[in-house]
Amino acid sequence: YLVAFRRAENVTVRALELASPPDRPITGAFFCRDGKNVVLEDLAVCHFRWNGLRIEFSERVTVRRCYVQDASSRKKGRTEGGH
């Protein structure tokens, strides 16, 4: 992941473009686990293998005005979902 947090509180991520090469996508753009009061705003997320935005076991997470393209489950040369 390009941006990752665990047990973070009062975090804002704003106005970023996160991308990996379309021909060699990396795992994901953003990962948050056990976060509190997290805001994701005005993000552009493109070309990731598994996840654009991955949020687990977190409280009070706000996602607004984010654009996600081609961040899906790519396995064995095929794409499933996430478009």
Side-chain angles (χ1 to χ4, degrees):
Y1 291 92
L2 294 178
V3 178
F5 298 102
R6 286 183 183 248
R7 295 180 208 93
E9 293 188 29
N10 304 314
V11 173
T12 298
V13 179
R14 181 179 293 130
L16 288 178
E17 184 174 322
L18 304 170
S20 65
D23 59 332
R24 299 195 68 184
I26 63 174
T27 299
F30 179 85
F31 176 72
C32 176
R33 183 177 177 112
D34 300 314
K36 291 182 183 175
N37 299 317
V38 176
V39 177
L40 306 177
E41 188 172 71
D42 297 315
L43 304 180
V45 176
C46 302
H47 308 299
F48 289 91
R49 183 180 308 269
W50 302 111
N51 301 289
L53 306 175
R54 182 175 178 177
I55 302 164
E56 298 179 345
F57 309 108
S58 296
E59 301 175 26
R60 295 180 299 278
V61 176
T62 302
V63 178
R64 58 172 91 95
R65 295 184 308 274
C66 293
Y67 174 77
V68 179
Q69 177 188 18
D70 192 25
S72 61
S73 298
R74 288 189 176 191
K75 298 177 184 177
K76 298 182 182 174
R78 60 185 186 147
T79 303
E80 299 171 3
H83 294 281

